[in-house]
């Protein structure tokens, strides 16, 4: 009888521990349709728990700055089976960033999460460093999530190890996402800028920079991502570097 009582108490304590553990995990990783957003060094990290094991065709993440319309798909989540999942938005917007996660099932049924948002100010965006390989960042975050390790630590490591130095002549405007070209002597000097995709294919050329400040609309680039550039002064290479289109 005594041994049975001890067993019962032990079982009860283990059950309570399991329940508390589940609640603790739920506080950190909410279950869809809810999801969590955390910001680190100007980068937004979305996490959630997916309860579906099979039948998901694709999971996408959409973002808007007004919460109801103008949602744009900014990426997909490779982990489609049941479990914890993460998405890294390396280039969030200034102000409110509203997110929604959408699932498309093989049956043709669609499922949308609740809306959630976070607000970033200029001080947050100033902490951003250009992440040259955002795909690698996402892969590292996925591995961290699978191994129950800190995704925040992965982001901190990527930012710390980023050796990207932003040009003072050709750069992505943090607040607009457009590309600024700023050359004080553009009126009297012949400048040319060429842009290349990650396959080193030329995608855009500014044959002559005619103004000291030129704003190049990001829609001139067909895809999001990192582009290299070459800046020529009087037909001689003056500088090469990178701009991020997001």
């Amino acid at each position: 009888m005594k041994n049975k009582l001890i067993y019962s108490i032990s079982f009860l304590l283990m059950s309570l521990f399991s329940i508390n553990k589940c609640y603790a995990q739920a506080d950190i990783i909410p279950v869809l349709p809810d999801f969590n957003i955390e910001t680190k060094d100007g980068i937004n990290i979305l996490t959630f728990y997916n309860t579906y094991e099979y039948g998901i065709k694709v999971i996408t993440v959409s973002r808007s700055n007004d919460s109801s319309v103008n949602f744009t798909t900014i990426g997909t989540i490779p982990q489609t089976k049941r479990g914890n999942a993460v998405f890294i938005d390396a280039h969030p917007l200034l102000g409110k960033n509203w997110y929604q996660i959408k699932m498309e099932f093989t049956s043709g049924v669609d499922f949308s999460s609740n809306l959630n948002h976070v607000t970033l100010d200029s001080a947050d965006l100033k902490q951003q460093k250009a992440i040259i390989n955002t795909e690698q960042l996402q892969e590292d975050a996925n591995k961290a999530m699978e191994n129950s390790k800190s995704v925040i630590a992965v982001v901190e490591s990527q930012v710390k190890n980023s050796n990207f130095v932003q040009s003072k002549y050709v750069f992505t405007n943090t607040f607009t996402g457009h590309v600024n070209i700023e050359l004080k002597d553009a009126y009297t000097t012949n400048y040319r800028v060429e842009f290349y995709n990650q396959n080193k294919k030329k995608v855009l050329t500014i044959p002559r920079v005619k103004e000291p400040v030129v704003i190049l609309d990001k829609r001139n680039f067909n895809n999001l991502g990192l582009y290299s550039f070459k800046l020529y002064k009087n037909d001689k290479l003056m500088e090469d570097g990178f701009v991020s289109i997001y």
Side-chain angles (χ1 to χ4, degrees):
M1 181 70 180
K2 183 178 180 180
N3 290 338
K4 186 176 181 180
L5 179 62
I6 293 173
Y7 174 80
S8 299
I9 293 173
S10 299
F11 178 79
L12 177 62
L13 289 174
M14 289 177 65
S15 299
L16 289 173
F17 175 78
S18 298
I19 292 171
N20 287 335
K21 185 177 180 182
C22 289
Y23 275 114
Q25 288 177 341
D27 289 340
I28 299 172
I29 309 291
V31 178
L32 282 180
D34 292 322
F35 60 95
N36 186 53
I37 308 174
E38 195 168 2
T39 300
K40 179 63 181 176
D41 296 324
I43 295 173
N44 287 342
I45 305 166
L46 282 63
T47 52
F48 63 91
Y49 183 85
N50 171 24
T51 59
Y52 296 94
E53 180 67 28
Y54 302 106
I56 299 176
K57 184 178 180 181
V58 65
I59 303 177
T60 59
V61 178
S62 299
R63 185 182 66 196
S64 171
N65 62 357
D66 58 19
S67 83
S68 58
V69 295
N70 297 322
F71 271 92
T72 301
T73 299
I74 59 172
T76 60
I77 295 175
Q79 167 65 332
T80 58
K81 291 188 177 182
R82 184 173 58 199
N84 293 330
V86 59
F87 178 81
I88 304 293
D89 183 5
H91 302 292
L93 306 170
L94 175 66
K96 288 186 177 180
N97 290 257
W98 287 88
Y99 294 95
Q100 187 171 50
I101 298 168
K102 295 185 177 182
M103 290 182 176
E104 182 182 339
F105 291 86
T106 53
S107 63
V109 176
D110 292 339
F111 168 84
S112 296
S113 72
N114 296 331
L115 299 179
N116 198 357
H117 80 280
V118 64
T119 302
L120 275 69
D121 58 25
S122 56
D124 294 318
L125 294 187
K126 283 182 179 178
Q127 296 181 55
Q128 283 186 2
K129 286 189 177 180
I131 304 298
I132 292 180
N133 195 335
T134 55
E135 291 183 0
Q136 185 62 53
L137 174 58
Q138 181 67 52
E139 287 180 11
D140 292 345
N142 294 338
K143 291 178 182 177
M145 184 65 74
E146 290 172 5
N147 297 319
S148 300
K149 295 182 179 180
S150 172
V151 176
I152 290 288
V154 170
V155 172
E156 288 178 336
S157 177
Q158 284 273 7
V159 171
K160 182 179 179 181
N161 294 327
S162 175
N163 57 4
F164 181 94
V165 179
Q166 180 171 272
S167 168
K168 62 180 181 179
Y169 304 112
V170 183
F171 56 90
T172 304
N173 187 310
T174 305
F175 306 110
T176 65
H178 300 311
V179 175
N180 280 29
I181 303 173
E182 299 186 3
L183 299 159
K184 293 181 179 180
D185 58 343
Y187 289 134
T188 58
T189 307
N190 186 4
Y191 288 104
R192 181 176 85 254
V193 187
E194 298 174 349
F195 295 92
Y196 301 81
N197 62 21
Q198 294 189 31
N199 295 322
K200 297 183 179 180
K201 180 181 178 181
K202 188 188 297 184
V203 295
L204 185 64
T205 299
I206 310 298
R208 173 68 190 270
V209 181
K210 298 180 180 179
E211 302 285 340
V213 177
V214 174
I215 299 176
L216 184 60
D217 194 303
K218 60 186 177 183
R219 288 175 294 186
N220 285 285
F221 298 86
N222 292 328
N223 299 297
L224 304 181
L226 198 73
Y227 292 81
S228 62
F229 72 84
K230 295 183 182 296
L231 172 62
Y232 292 89
K233 179 179 181 180
N234 295 326
D235 291 327
K236 291 184 179 180
L237 182 63
M238 174 181 168
E239 183 183 64
D240 53 11
F242 295 90
V243 292
S244 184
I245 305 300
Y246 53 88

